[in-house]
Amino acid sequence: MAVHCNFTSTDLSSLTLTNRPHFTYKTSSLSPKPLSTHKLNRSLVRSIATDSNGGDGGTSPEVAGKKKRLSEQSAWEATDAEGNDYLYRLGKESENMNIAVGARAGVIDDLFVGDFLGKDSDIVFDYRQKVTRSFEYLQGDYYIAPAFMDKVVVHIVKNYLAHLLNTNVPLILGVWGGKGQGKTFQTELIFQAMGILPVIMSAGELESERAGEPGRLIRDRYRTASQVVQNQGKMSCLMINDIDAGLGRFGNTQMTVNNQIVVGTLMNLSDNPTRVSIGQDWRESDITHRIPIIVTGNDFSTLYAPLVRDGRMDKFYWQPTMDDIINIVNRMYEKDGLSKKDVESIVTTFPNQALDFYGALRSRTYDSAILKWVNDIGGPETVGSKLLRRKRDENLPVFVPPKQTVESLLESGYSLIKEQQLIMESKLSKEYMKNMDD
């Protein structure tokens, strides 16, 4: 049945009872028959009387104040006891967290796939790729230890050539060593030098109140790195920082379900690096790129032994030599005007210290300059108003950074050494727990 609407006027205000549109029905077996005059008059008067806000001009104020509904019989607009509609409740209770479907042929209606964006257009890839790191903040000249760079570069290249090599290639590289030795920073410098867009994770993401969520997150980040390779044509890898803090067993710490699932996920990725599922049905065409994984930590003996076995994880113990430390610290202080000889004197004065110690020296020298700046703007009482609630045309006093000298750095170093000794010697926990064994 087809309905033809013939309007004799385009001005809605000119529609009256005498100048109204002519509605007719056309069917295959019946001749055209005009609508009932009584029904048309009633529907037309009601449409004219309705105001622009959806209220009915001829109804009572109580009815006019109600929210307009699409249908009197629709359950979608029904509200619960708290006043929330059905759609809000349905979305809140839904367990479907899959936002990575996009418009895929055979999964979503093919009408919205088309040929312009391709047969597999992921509408949320621009959002999910933000988990990658681009390292624009790394400005300047930094030193990369040759041994460190050789190990990371070989691991990454070997995994990208694994299908051409007639040998077993471990998927995971475990970089471990003492605290503050620059494991993460050196790796990021190598990523920047090679033009790699890595996907970064930390130990804090390896636990969740929802069972299975960290394992799914690892698989999803792995697939995201694979899509960086496929869609952007750039190398990528998955990096997990401080993995032993999230998966390590220390004393009587409890092994959770998520710990077991994360370990099993990493082991499964090592054994099947090109077949990774995040919950959807397996498809023969769902083949991901092999993505190398790099994990950092301090003590891998706390990890599950089958995960760190040879064949799954290639281990690299990072302990910078004296030459590495001097070269790294020299690049750190090069912009401050210190010579390499000055740096050597500082490093030899504080031996057996991690690399982050020499970075903390420079930060400690700023303390007195910052305190002087706070006093110049009116003291601690006015810091909040000066920093956050000042006028737009009001400028803060100029901060003058301190001039780095060997004497000031040595003074800061002795202060840090004193704090370290107090922590190791005081052990105030013994004062609080008298019965604690040594």
Side-chain angles (χ1 to χ4, degrees), residues 53-69:
N53 294 328
D56 195 346
T59 58
S60 62
E62 293 78 5
V63 177
K66 292 183 178 180
K67 181 180 178 181
K68 183 180 178 181
R69 297 182 58 180

Side-chain angles (χ1 to χ4, degrees), residues 4 41 64 85 90 100 119 125 160 170 191 224 236 244 260 264 298 301 319 341 374 379 386 403 405 427:
H4 289 266
N41 290 345
D85 57 22
L90 181 66
K119 292 299 183 182
F125 179 71
Y160 276 94
F191 290 157
T224 300
S236 182
D244 56 336
Q260 297 173 337
N298 299 118
S301 66
Q319 179 64 45
K341 185 177 180 180
V374 170
K386 292 290 185 180
K403 180 176 177 57
T405 62
K427 295 184 179 179

Side-chain angles (χ1 to χ4, degrees), residues 423-438:
I423 292 176
M424 298 303 297
E425 294 175 359
S426 297
K427 295 184 179 179
L428 295 179
S429 58
K430 290 186 177 181
E431 298 294 330
Y432 303 140
M433 294 175 285
K434 298 293 186 180
N435 296 327
M436 185 178 69
D437 296 332
D438 292 335

Side-chain angles (χ1 to χ4, degrees), residues 71-84:
S71 173
E72 296 295 334
Q73 299 179 351
S74 175
W76 296 94
E77 297 177 293
T79 58
D80 56 13
E82 298 179 356
N84 297 321

Side-chain angles (χ1 to χ4, degrees), residues 386-435:
K386 292 290 185 180
L387 291 178
L388 304 178
R389 296 192 298 272
R390 68 180 186 276
K391 298 179 181 179
R392 292 185 178 181
D393 56 348
E394 183 181 358
N395 295 325
L396 288 172
V398 179
F399 175 76
V400 180
K403 180 176 177 57
Q404 301 294 341
T405 62
V406 177
E407 292 75 14
S408 61
L409 292 172
L410 291 178
E411 182 181 356
S412 300
Y414 289 124
S415 176
L416 292 175
I417 292 292
K418 183 178 179 181
E419 296 293 340
Q420 292 178 355
Q421 292 175 349
L422 284 175
I423 292 176
M424 298 303 297
E425 294 175 359
S426 297
K427 295 184 179 179
L428 295 179
S429 58
K430 290 186 177 181
E431 298 294 330
Y432 303 140
M433 294 175 285
K434 298 293 186 180
N435 296 327

